[in-house]
Amino acid sequence: NASGGSWSVKFLKGALIRVPMALQANRLVAALVPTGWNPIIYGIPDDVVKQVDKVTLFALVATVEALVRSGITDPYELYQYFHVSEIGNTTGSGLGGYLSLQNIFKNRFLDKGLKNDVLQETFISTIQAWVNMLLISSSGPVKPAIGACATAVLSIDAAIETIQSGKAKVMIAGSTDDFIEEISVEFANMGATSNSVEELARGRTPSEMCRPCTSTRNGFMEGQGAGIVTLMSASAAIEFGAPIYGIIAMSGTATDKQGQSVPAPGKGVLTSAREACDNILPSRLLNFDYRRRQLLRQLSVLEAWKQEELADLADINNQPTDTVELSMICCAGEVEKSYRRQLRSLQDTWGNEFWKNDPKIAPLRGSLAVWGLTANDIGLASFHGTSTVANDKNESDVLNTQLCHLGRTPGHVVPVVCQKWLTGHPKGPAASFMLNGVIQSLRTGLIPGNRNADNINKDLEAFDYALYLSKSIQTSGIKAGLIKAFGFGQVGGELLVVHPDYILATLAKEQLDKYNVKLQERSAKSERYWQDCLIGNNPFVRVKSSPPYTAEQEKSVLLNPLARAKYSSKSGEYKI
């Protein structure tokens, strides 16, 4: 208007007026982090908190905890043992920056004050980028995982392959996801989640609304959070003195079959038990003693080759006198390197890889046999257990079929763990949560029950090998646990976790004693770190202000595979 203080709006004939409508929410319960959770209390700077998405904040805190529980109180200490290119990250997410997506698709149109660079916080790769920029400063492999509800398995699987291929020695893996209104509504529209209004009408309390494997299960309960693990090769962990909580003896992923339903659970992960049963006699490769004999025979041949090569160095004496000694040393070093490379290859062939590409040995059977175990030694099965009608029945069928095909003794049941009754379904980090639970069971022998299992579905009685616990049981020990994940988009995954004693048992006494000394030192440092945080001496998340080298050193450090950090007692920092 001419006065400048008001506006007049003229509606033309046929104009369409859209008025926001209030919707009646029926998803009123979720598994959330405690009210009042504040990343600033953990030590994350205020400017970072304002910049990044909440999923990144979850990942930062979880990564620090994963490192500290691995005996790493300063990430830069890793560079005392490994090159910056040998530390990688596969941390992913089911969706990425939830609140940032909400901002660009909703709040930007409401003219709310938003950062100009909010778009970058929606990318899944941005999560691990902040972890690296603020905490680790590595230049190693990066493979952000994207896999809906099975993201953590994909992340761990990618990390293991990266380590086994020799591209890295240490990998940070896991996933992080959030909870927001828009996603909750869409899950509700799909009929995937538990209807809180209906549950309350039936007299159910919020703590009872997620009931995996029961006759009354009615959808999964959404959650949020992050689950991060530190993965190392066994040799790296022993050299570093890191506590070993479990051995990832097998990791695998699988799609399903033709179909037109993205969330429908499938049976693709059955392929981990695939093997041709054309002979009643088991392969000799499954016999631990047989593989040991073959290894020793080939090691004797390798030792003879080494001695012959060293004897041939006498030919170097024909060279000028002043170069003879230097040439002898260089050539002897080359022989030693070649010897150790061939030694590792033989150990891999007869120790870890004998079953690969053999149609008569299933990946799951072969991975167990590496440690002298069989299908009978699987002590628990950690279910994806979402509390949906389709998933819990399908997952039970898959487990039962696998164990039957692998010849587990009839009647030798496997206790099923369905921890989502307590944690809810955090989507991407689900398998990280489950891995943490399996590790606790391996350490304590305690198998947690499903407290909401008030009436197991009669359809599940057909699966003889699955034992659905309603109460926790104490065992004399668990050798191995099996984890499954079934994600939207035909993303299935599986992890076989073996007790850490099986790797420690391979060490000679002197090597084990040396490792235990390092382990005790690291445990003491980690304990001190926790105490300092709890009494307020230091923040939990200690953000780095510079890389472990100067700007002038950067190119030379990246190009020198032998560049290592040293601890300066004067500055209290690790510098290359």
Side-chain angles (χ1 to χ4, degrees), residues 479-526:
K479 298 177 181 179
L482 195 59
I483 297 172
K484 284 184 173 57
F486 296 84
F488 282 20
Q490 293 211 344
V491 184
E494 197 169 32
L495 298 174
L496 174 66
V497 189
V498 171
H499 197 287
D501 281 356
Y502 281 88
I503 190 66
L504 299 179
T506 67
L507 304 181
K509 186 179 185 305
E510 181 180 347
Q511 192 178 14
L512 181 60
D513 291 341
K514 187 176 179 180
Y515 166 75
N516 281 330
V517 170
K518 292 182 178 180
L519 177 62
Q520 293 304 318
E521 292 175 352
R522 294 207 170 277
S523 297
K525 287 173 63 177
S526 295

Side-chain angles (χ1 to χ4, degrees), residues 329-346:
I329 294 174
C330 291
C331 290
E334 291 176 356
V335 170
E336 183 63 27
K337 287 181 181 178
S338 180
Y339 170 80
R340 294 194 174 280
R341 185 161 49 246
Q342 295 180 69
L343 174 62
R344 287 194 296 269
S345 179
L346 287 174

Side-chain angles (χ1 to χ4, degrees), residues 287 330 365 474 491 493:
N287 186 289
C330 291
R365 188 191 300 278
Q474 180 65 56
V491 184

Side-chain angles (χ1 to χ4, degrees), residues 383 393 395-405 408-416 456-468:
F383 268 26
K393 183 176 180 180
E395 186 168 7
S396 298
D397 189 13
V398 168
L399 175 70
N400 197 72
T401 305
Q402 283 179 316
L403 297 179
C404 182
H405 189 68
R408 186 177 174 99
T409 302
H412 186 15
V413 296
V414 179
V416 170
I456 300 300
N457 194 311
K458 289 186 69 67
D459 291 345
L460 305 185
E461 291 180 3
F463 310 119
D464 295 336
Y465 285 107
L467 173 64
Y468 305 93

Side-chain angles (χ1 to χ4, degrees), residues 78-376:
L78 289 167
Y79 305 124
Q80 189 175 8
Y81 297 83
F82 315 109
H83 188 249
V84 291
S85 65
E86 296 176 322
I87 315 295
N89 199 317
T90 60
T91 300
S93 176
L95 193 60
Y98 283 58
L99 295 178
S100 298
L101 286 167
Q102 190 181 60
N103 281 334
I104 65 172
F105 288 114
K106 178 181 178 181
N107 293 334
R108 181 72 75 185
F109 296 101
L110 298 177
D111 200 27
K112 292 186 177 181
L114 301 178
K115 305 184 299 294
N116 292 330
D117 57 357
V118 67
L119 176 63
Q120 70 183 28
E121 302 304 323
T122 67
F123 303 147
I124 291 177
S125 59
T126 298
I127 298 168
Q128 63 77 31
W130 280 112
V131 169
N132 195 53
M133 290 189 295
L134 299 180
L135 300 176
I136 301 175
S137 192
S138 72
S139 302
V142 54
K143 303 176 182 180
I146 307 170
C149 305
T151 303
V153 171
L154 269 64
S155 175
I156 293 170
D157 183 61
I160 290 171
E161 289 184 351
T162 304
I163 291 174
Q164 291 179 337
S165 67
K167 294 180 180 179
K169 296 292 181 62
V170 182
M171 294 292 292
I172 305 299
S175 180
T176 175
D177 268 319
D178 201 359
F179 174 88
I180 60 172
E181 179 184 17
E182 287 79 1
I183 303 302
S184 177
V185 169
E186 295 308 321
F187 273 134
N189 291 337
M190 295 173 67
T193 49
S194 174
N195 187 316
S196 308
V197 174
E198 293 179 358
E199 291 287 291
L200 290 169
R202 296 188 184 106
R204 295 285 185 179
T205 63
S207 63
E208 297 175 320
M209 290 185 184
C210 184
R211 301 180 299 281
C213 300
T214 64
S215 58
T216 58
R217 63 190 188 278
N218 191 33
F220 72 81
M221 180 65 63
E222 257 200 281
Q224 64 179 170
I228 306 293
V229 293
T230 308
L231 295 171
M232 296 186 183
S233 65
S235 57
I238 291 166
E239 177 190 2
F240 191 74
I244 302 173
Y245 296 102
I247 305 164
I248 308 296
M250 186 201 76
S251 67
T253 60
T255 54
D256 294 319
K257 61 182 179 182
Q258 180 277 338
Q260 295 187 359
S261 174
V262 170
K267 294 179 169 57
V269 293
L270 262 178
T271 53
S272 67
R274 68 187 184 275
E275 62 182 15
C277 304
D278 58 354
N279 194 328
I280 60 173
L281 295 177
S283 171
R284 289 194 297 172
L285 292 173
L286 296 172
N287 186 289
F288 206 90
D289 292 331
Y290 172 78
R291 299 202 309 273
R292 181 188 288 113
R293 289 198 304 272
Q294 302 308 310
L295 176 60
L296 292 176
R297 285 173 184 169
Q298 295 193 19
L299 287 179
S300 64
V301 174
L302 178 60
E303 185 63 32
W305 169 86
K306 176 182 176 181
Q307 297 306 320
E308 290 176 6
E309 287 294 310
L310 292 176
D312 290 343
L313 292 181
D315 296 339
I316 299 177
N317 288 329
N318 297 327
Q319 298 182 19
T321 306
D322 58 344
T323 63
V324 169
E325 185 177 355
L326 179 60
S327 297
M328 288 281 286
I329 294 174
C330 291
C331 290
E334 291 176 356
V335 170
E336 183 63 27
K337 287 181 181 178
S338 180
Y339 170 80
R340 294 194 174 280
R341 185 161 49 246
Q342 295 180 69
L343 174 62
R344 287 194 296 269
S345 179
L346 287 174
Q347 290 173 331
D348 286 339
T349 298
W350 295 105
N352 305 326
E353 300 178 356
F354 63 89
W355 57 269
K356 294 183 178 179
N357 301 315
D358 188 335
K360 295 184 179 180
I361 304 178
L364 184 52
R365 188 191 300 278
S367 299
L368 286 163
V370 166
W371 306 99
L373 303 174
T374 69
N376 280 339

